[in-house]
Amino acid sequence: MLIRSMFKQNRSWILGYSVGTSVYLFFLAAIFPSIQETGLIEAKLESLPPELLEVFQIDATMAMDNLLNLLSSNYYGLIFYVLAVLFALTFASKLLAKPVDSSEIMLYMAAPISRVTYVWSTFIILVIAVGLFVGLNGFSLMAADVLFDLQIDYAVLWMLQLNGALMLLVLGVVAYMLASLFDDSSKSYMVTGGIFTFFLMVNIINGVSEQFEWLGNISFFSLFDAPAIMREEFGGVHFIWLIGLLIVFSALSFFRFTRKDLTI
Amino acid sequence: MIRIERLTKRFDATHGIFDVTLDVLPGTIFGFIGPNGAGKSTTIRHLMGLLKPSEGKATINGFDCWSETEQVKRNVGYLPGEINYPQHMTGEEIIRLTRHLHKTDPARERRLRERFAFDESTKVRKMSKGMKQKLAIITCFMKEAPVYILDEPTSGLDPLMQERLIDWLIEEKEAGKAILMSSHHFPEMERTCDRAALIKDGRIIIEEDMEELRQHSVKRYQIEFSSEAEAIRFTETTGTRDGIHVEVAITSPEDLNNLIRTLADYEIRSLESGADELEHLFMQYYGEAT
């Protein structure tokens, strides 16, 4: 019941992200055949400076003869990172920071529910939200494939979705843990947003020059690399890192929230 | 029952609560009085498992309020001081959710809805303070619990609803419930509470049965004399005069008897006692009595 009630309270933003991005992907897939015919993408990519392509993680050597190749440079590049950051901030804000700040959480805290149960329930909501996000994204592309015969490699498509799901889960749990450090939702929003923006910048700078390649090792975002998945160079190490981070930050969230003084 | 033993929570050297000890027994209402920031809500938050004590402990029906909070909350109905339900939900949705989150009694719910009737289809964001308070009262008491913790329960209610709540509280007390109630509304405390504690700067400064508190309190009497000359003659020995009216402060039954004997020698039109005896006592303890 707790999970059902939480989902009901949060379904609008969850569906907003899932349906919004899926519709975008579907329409991009729908117009892909006509884009491909004109050859405009290749021409445009060739005209851009290589540094800019690096920043946006666009592999200019990749032939744009396949929808997933296009998406790996488009949606699954900077767009997905920004969406993932916003998604994580919304999750932490709606499920923890704002309810604590406004005292709305008292509705649940007055019930015979332990804080561990509350955190578990919020994480289940995160899993449902992420599942809907990447699931609907994947199914919308599969639907477009059926309708427009796009020759999508489903193994690669679902590998992208799985990597994206793990990235969303990690960012969500990190934002949740950071939100549990504060009573003031605007402060938690600012700090978490600042940290994510820093990592995003690190990831962008990492692409500018080989000199800064080492920066990629300190950014969460380098663990989601769509072009590498397309080239089948993406190893299991990234997945292990993401799962490891997920476990560590989940444990920290439990530890922090179950010991936190709530002045509500 | 509620038991708080030497409960201390230090926010810093001067802020927090210090050595708070009190018991609330079944079949009694315990009044918790104090100005804003005195430590009432901090104490109540410990009982609800929201704050971890620095020292001491709080238990409800034998369960530790911090480490066994789930069992504690099974035994407690809670009415918060600040009602903050999710803004987009309707009253009906909040009641339905409460029904699922707590073990509630349909018969109690029906009775409460009749007594504290309001439009349940209204969204929380559109509700007045009084409506939110009625909703909070229903959701608190629709759970059949042996213990109730009420933070400013009559806040925002109109006089009729205040009266209904007081009647409800007296019924609950008679049914054997242990009730801890914080309030600034002295008449309701006088009518409902069996025992009360005054908290100031995080420390309990007095805890007594209401009867004893009443006996210790300063009682004020207003005497209206037949003429100013009579009033002047009377105030040569005691009281403060305003025209033909004189106010006298009495601290013991002996003083009251002496006053009545003295008044027998005067022509008086009326004699009235002040209503808010407890309020005067409260002010005395806070050094603000005039």
Side-chain angles (χ1 to χ4, degrees):
Chain A
M1 185 61 206
L2 177 62
I3 293 164
R4 212 166 74 185
S5 143
M6 279 182 170
F7 181 74
K8 209 174 156 193
Q9 284 186 48
N10 289 281
R11 69 183 163 199
S12 58
W13 70 265
I14 293 173
L15 292 176
Y17 278 103
S18 314
V19 175
T21 51
S22 301
V23 167
Y24 170 79
L25 286 175
F26 183 83
F27 281 107
L28 203 63
I31 59 167
F32 178 72
S34 54
I35 296 174
Q36 204 183 10
E37 267 175 34
T38 60
L40 276 174
I41 298 176
E42 278 93 346
K44 197 160 189 176
L45 290 180
E46 275 168 26
S47 69
L48 293 172
E51 291 81 7
L52 190 70
L53 296 174
E54 280 289 336
V55 164
F56 288 96
Q57 299 205 332
I58 299 169
D59 187 351
T61 62
M62 200 182 279
M64 291 298 161
D65 57 352
N66 172 311
L67 174 68
L68 290 183
N69 284 355
L70 171 71
L71 289 178
S72 73
S73 317
N74 176 292
Y75 177 74
Y76 292 109
L78 198 59
I79 295 176
F80 185 77
Y81 291 157
V82 173
L83 277 172
V85 167
L86 293 174
F87 176 89
L89 286 172
T90 312
F91 161 70
S93 163
K94 297 274 186 188
L95 272 298
L96 188 66
K98 268 181 81 179
V100 168
D101 195 7
S102 67
S103 302
E104 280 177 18
I105 201 171
M106 202 61 231
L107 186 61
Y108 300 111
M109 291 291 111
I113 293 165
S114 70
R115 294 202 199 179
V116 171
T117 309
Y118 184 81
V119 178
W120 268 121
S121 306
T122 54
F123 283 178
I124 289 169
I125 296 294
L126 175 65
V127 171
I128 294 170
V130 168
L132 277 170
F133 190 125
V134 298
L136 277 181
N137 278 194
F139 287 124
S140 71
L141 288 173
M142 284 173 79
D145 184 44
V146 171
L147 291 171
F148 311 111
D149 189 23
L150 301 168
Q151 308 285 316
I152 293 175
D153 182 338
Y154 288 166
V156 174
L157 170 67
W158 287 105
M159 183 63 90
L160 272 173
Q161 301 313 110
L162 180 62
N163 193 190
L166 283 171
M167 173 57 69
L168 287 167
L169 287 172
V170 168
L171 292 180
V173 172
V174 170
Y176 191 89
M177 196 282 288
L178 290 169
S180 72
L181 299 176
F182 305 98
D183 290 331
D184 179 348
S185 62
S186 54
K187 199 186 275 180
S188 103
Y189 209 74
M190 243 160 44
V191 170
T192 314
I195 290 171
F196 284 166
T197 308
F198 168 76
F199 282 124
L200 206 52
M201 295 306 290
V202 162
N203 210 55
I204 290 171
I205 295 166
N206 154 45
V208 174
S209 153
E210 281 181 13
Q211 206 183 324
F212 299 118
E213 250 182 37
W214 60 273
L215 280 173
N217 297 326
I218 63 164
S219 171
F220 295 116
F221 297 100
S222 60
L223 297 172
F224 179 77
D225 190 349
I229 291 175
M230 298 305 301
R231 291 192 303 267
E232 294 180 5
E233 288 171 6
F234 195 76
V237 182
H238 284 72
F239 279 55
I240 292 167
W241 263 107
L242 284 168
I243 291 167
L245 286 169
L246 189 60
I247 292 168
V248 169
F249 281 100
S250 302
L252 286 172
S253 301
F254 274 105
F255 184 82
R256 172 65 191 149
F257 188 66
T258 51
R259 281 157 183 80
K260 183 183 169 74
D261 281 339
L262 291 170
T263 51
I264 50 177
Chain B
M1 65 175 281
I2 302 171
R3 169 159 286 171
I4 300 177
E5 293 169 85
R6 303 184 67 83
L7 188 70
T8 298
K9 178 74 180 177
R10 285 185 207 89
F11 294 119
D12 57 46
T14 52
H15 292 94
I17 53 169
F18 307 93
D19 260 341
V20 171
T21 297
L22 57 88
D23 285 332
V24 185
L25 302 173
T28 62
I29 301 182
F30 192 103
F32 205 32
I33 313 167
N36 297 330
K40 297 189 301 292
S41 295
T42 301
T43 308
I44 286 175
R45 282 180 191 130
H46 278 93
L47 292 172
M48 293 307 293
L50 301 172
L51 297 177
K52 187 180 183 184
S54 307
E55 282 162 39
K57 66 186 236 174
T59 58
I60 290 179
N61 283 358
F63 296 109
D64 186 276
C65 292
W66 175 255
S67 59
E68 296 169 298
T69 178
E70 224 176 314
Q71 290 93 320
V72 163
K73 288 185 282 188
R74 247 179 226 122
N75 285 286
V76 174
Y78 177 55
L79 178 66
E82 288 279 317
I83 316 291
N84 286 304
Y85 289 129
Q87 299 291 305
H88 63 280
M89 288 176 87
T90 64
E92 188 59 50
E93 284 171 335
I94 301 273
I95 290 172
R96 205 180 309 140
L97 180 59
T98 307
R99 220 181 279 147
H100 291 289
L101 292 175
H102 300 262
K103 204 175 161 196
T104 61
D105 177 349
R108 279 171 77 85
E109 184 189 325
R110 225 177 6 259
R111 275 180 16 237
L112 283 157
R113 280 181 180 232
E114 280 164 18
R115 283 207 202 185
F116 303 99
F118 73 102
D119 182 6
E120 293 102 338
S121 62
T122 312
K123 283 195 188 274
V124 172
R125 68 166 159 268
K126 296 261 171 88
M127 285 184 188
S128 66
K129 178 146 177 36
M131 275 173 90
K132 281 189 212 168
Q133 194 68 20
K134 281 195 257 183
L135 174 59
I137 289 167
I138 293 171
T139 55
C140 169
F141 286 105
M142 64 194 265
K143 176 179 179 178
E144 172 81 62
V147 173
Y148 290 99
I149 298 171
L150 317 173
D151 200 351
E152 306 275 348
T154 54
S155 165
L157 294 180
D158 61 47
L160 176 68
M161 287 299 146
Q162 284 185 14
E163 203 58 33
R164 286 187 184 179
L165 179 63
I166 288 169
D167 290 345
W168 179 273
L169 291 178
I170 291 167
E171 283 170 32
E172 290 294 297
K173 178 172 82 171
E174 283 164 0
K177 310 293 172 68
I179 301 172
L180 174 69
M181 175 168 99
S182 92
S183 179
H184 290 298
H185 197 234
F186 298 97
E188 95 196 2
M189 298 286 262
E190 281 197 273
R191 281 185 55 195
T192 55
C193 295
D194 302 280
R195 199 169 168 81
L198 276 76
I199 187 167
K200 183 186 179 186
D201 298 332
R203 293 176 195 278
I204 300 269
I205 54 170
I206 184 171
E207 189 207 329
E208 270 183 283
D209 285 343
M210 288 302 285
E211 200 45 51
E212 286 171 54
L213 279 172
R214 268 188 216 108
Q215 280 173 12
H216 293 166
S217 67
V218 172
K219 295 172 184 71
R220 286 168 197 281
Y221 291 88
Q222 280 82 39
I223 309 153
E224 190 183 353
F225 287 88
S226 59
S227 68
E228 204 160 339
E230 284 280 271
I232 292 167
R233 187 162 70 89
F234 181 80
T235 47
E236 280 168 7
T237 52
T238 185
T240 45
R241 186 179 68 85
D242 179 13
I244 58 168
H245 298 96
V246 173
E247 188 178 82
V248 181
I250 299 291
T251 51
S252 68
E254 293 83 57
D255 288 350
L256 180 61
N257 285 317
N258 286 337
L259 173 69
I260 292 167
R261 275 193 287 272
T262 310
L263 287 175
D265 296 335
Y266 293 83
E267 279 284 314
I268 66 165
R269 282 187 191 158
S270 67
L271 172 66
E272 283 174 23
S273 68
D276 300 328
E277 295 168 5
L278 193 64
E279 188 166 1
H280 278 297
L281 177 75
F282 175 75
M283 296 304 236
Q284 258 173 266
Y285 276 102
Y286 280 83
E288 289 170 26
T290 50

